[in-house]
Amino acid sequence: MAKHTVLSSGAKLWRSLACAKSELRLDLTLACGQSFRWRETAEGHWTGVIGGRVWTLTQTDDTLWYHIYQSLDRQGETSGWEKGAGVSLQLENKSDNRFKEAVKKEEEEPVAVTPVHQDTKEDEEMLRDYFQLNVKLGDLYKEWGAADHHFKHIADIFTGIRMLRQDPTECLFSFICTSNNHISRIQGMVERLCQSLGAPLGQLDQTSYHNFPSLSALADTSVEARLRDLGFGYRARFLQQNAKQILVTHGIQWLEGLRSAPYLQARDALRTLPGVSTKVADCVCLMSLDKAEAVPIDTHVWQIAKRDYNYGSGNGQKTITGELHRDIGDFFRQLWGPYAGWAQSVLFCADLKKFRNLKEMLHMKRPKKKENDEEELTVAGKKRKIKKEKIDSVKNIKVKAGHHKKAKKSA
DNA sequence: GCAAGACCTGG
DNA sequence: CAGGTCTTG
């Protein structure tokens, strides 16, 4: 049976490119909630799908290493996948007919075949494109840190977090699943989505890999019922409706075409889709459509704005509504500049529970009095924190009545 | 424009 | 309740 590879198993299977950890941290970038499909398959080794092929990535201090597994089409040639049968066998075991049909449909479509000669240059370019390595993250960190003291503080530990340049279809349909939901469940849902409707790419150890489903696979009318069975809840309808709507009214190239549209135009276009409001549209813009200025505002980011930036406006409101949404985005764009969305992802990542151990290191580095006090208040218990926020919100309502928009810009 | 409620599911 | 969206009032 084919296995996930590791760097120590023999360097000849690996290719590399120069890349400092200040430019890219795989562990943070691939697990901070922008893509839901990467898994750490061995210590420091991340396996996932890029461009219809399965890759394992790892890094050392100044080098990014990558291995691309041989695709199913070349089964039996040399190393790589188990001799093909593994995946097909697995599919036969499913008794659900609709399941088979959908997969069959996928299989009939042409699948990208890896050329026999290994085109190192193209592969490297694909990787550079996926990680947007032409963007000099170190320079951006310096700019953000110079403009924003709090960012600089966080950035001491949370280095190398950059935006992926994801496939727009995968990005859109994955983020439709994020509403009213949490990361661990989203990961499972996206995985089931791919296994159910995506073209199989092969199997490594106990894990089978699939392409993200095509629009036509998602558009089939049987999809909603299938996805409900897979635990997608009310989002099942959104996924199917969207795929159909995009294909019928816009065409298959529409999403990619939005890469060349201005940010707000692309976002408004996405917002016409059912289940896609400002937040999800911003995620898709930032993570797949080259809109670095897009700042997705969710309740979590709103908390960050209030807690770390003393952001006052909107404290009287219960939910993130129109104007508030735009204002918070503008606030961060003014603070960080045209790559505000990238900067936001750093703070977002630093706030994830799964990286709490990393964040602890910040206290070791800076035993500042004031900040310790604030942390204690936060850690001490929810009730006290809530009380404090309520007091703040009362204050801010008064402020808001007076100065409204000018107050926050001074920050 | 904003506020409620509903919406699937599971930790 | 959770990293939200849609529908009403």
Side-chain angles (χ1 to χ4, degrees), chain A residues 49 280 356:
Chain A
V49 175
V280 167
R356 173 161 288 184

Side-chain angles (χ1 to χ4, degrees), chain A residues 327-387:
Chain A
D327 281 357
I328 298 177
D330 287 345
F331 170 75
F332 282 126
R333 275 184 285 274
Q334 183 165 342
L335 181 60
W336 293 322
Y339 277 74
W342 288 50
Q344 177 262 10
S345 77
V346 176
L347 295 192
F348 187 90
C349 180
D351 244 40
L352 290 174
K353 276 179 196 160
K354 69 165 90 168
F355 296 128
R356 173 161 288 184
N357 56 337
L358 261 181
K359 202 168 184 184
E360 301 295 334
M361 295 177 66
L362 288 172
H363 309 315
M364 321 263 294
K365 281 195 112 167
R366 288 166 159 254
K368 252 190 177 180
K369 265 189 198 170
K370 203 179 176 186
E371 291 183 15
N372 275 347
D373 289 346
E374 283 175 3
E375 281 300 319
E376 274 175 25
L377 185 66
T378 305
V379 174
K382 273 188 179 172
K383 288 184 181 174
R384 285 183 62 190
K385 193 188 171 191
I386 289 170
K387 266 188 186 170

Side-chain angles (χ1 to χ4, degrees), chain A residues 201-224:
Chain A
L201 298 173
Q203 181 174 352
L204 296 171
D205 293 315
Q206 314 305 331
T207 310
S208 61
Y209 289 89
H210 297 256
N211 242 340
F212 198 87
S214 65
L215 280 181
S216 50
L218 290 162
D220 193 283
T221 48
S222 67
V223 163
E224 177 180 351

Side-chain angles (χ1 to χ4, degrees), chain A residues 96-114:
Chain A
D96 189 334
N97 280 330
R98 292 173 303 174
F99 179 94
K100 280 187 197 167
E101 281 167 25
V103 171
K104 227 178 189 174
K105 198 176 282 180
E106 272 291 306
E107 283 177 334
E108 283 163 8
E109 291 179 13
V111 178
V113 180
T114 312

Side-chain angles (χ1 to χ4, degrees), chain A residues 49-60:
Chain A
V49 175
I50 307 173
R53 291 180 298 168
V54 180
W55 302 55
T56 293
L57 313 174
T58 190
Q59 65 184 150
T60 48

